[in-house]
Amino acid sequence: MTQPRSAPMPAALRAGRPAPHPARTVRCPHCGAAEGARCTTISGRITKPQPCPARIAAHAIQTAVCSTCQVLQTYPCRNEHGLETPVHAARYTEAKGTAA
Ligand SMILES: [Zn+2]
Ligand SMILES: [Zn+2]
């Protein structure tokens, strides 16, 4: 059985470092950018400096457990009624700590 890990991760948010965004390791569900590729506009003509918000969410869902609603990797976040919700803020933090 896999247990949700909630080890405290230092939120190393250093500004001014143009490292590749970890969300690039997953395919973008919004603009369709392949794994490792940068996000583009929907038309595919302009490359965006930051991944689409949907891709960052997808990356968090695929790589991190949620310490707020306790779902495991690949499962969407849920609220107290068991309905799918947008990714909780804590899950983004977990994703940044686990997949650099
Ligand atoms: Zn995208
Ligand atoms: Zn959650």
Side-chain angles (χ1 to χ4, degrees):
M1 290 296 271
T2 312
Q3 283 194 326
R5 284 167 298 161
S6 56
M9 296 282 186
L13 295 170
R14 296 281 169 94
R17 257 183 152 213
H21 197 286
R24 275 197 218 156
T25 55
V26 301
R27 186 179 171 280
C28 182
H30 182 72
C31 70
E35 290 156 37
R38 289 191 192 200
C39 278
T40 64
T41 55
I42 288 294
S43 68
R45 279 186 294 179
I46 300 170
T47 304
K48 296 199 218 174
Q50 286 293 316
C52 301
R55 190 178 201 179
I56 300 173
H59 170 259
I61 289 169
Q62 290 185 29
T63 62
V65 299
C66 184
S67 56
T68 300
C69 63
Q70 306 296 316
V71 294
L72 298 177
Q73 285 98 333
T74 75
Y75 289 90
C77 279
R78 296 191 179 274
N79 63 17
E80 66 271 30
H81 305 295
L83 301 172
E84 289 184 21
T85 66
V87 176
H88 291 118
R91 197 172 194 176
Y92 286 116
T93 307
E94 294 275 346
K96 282 175 190 162
T98 53

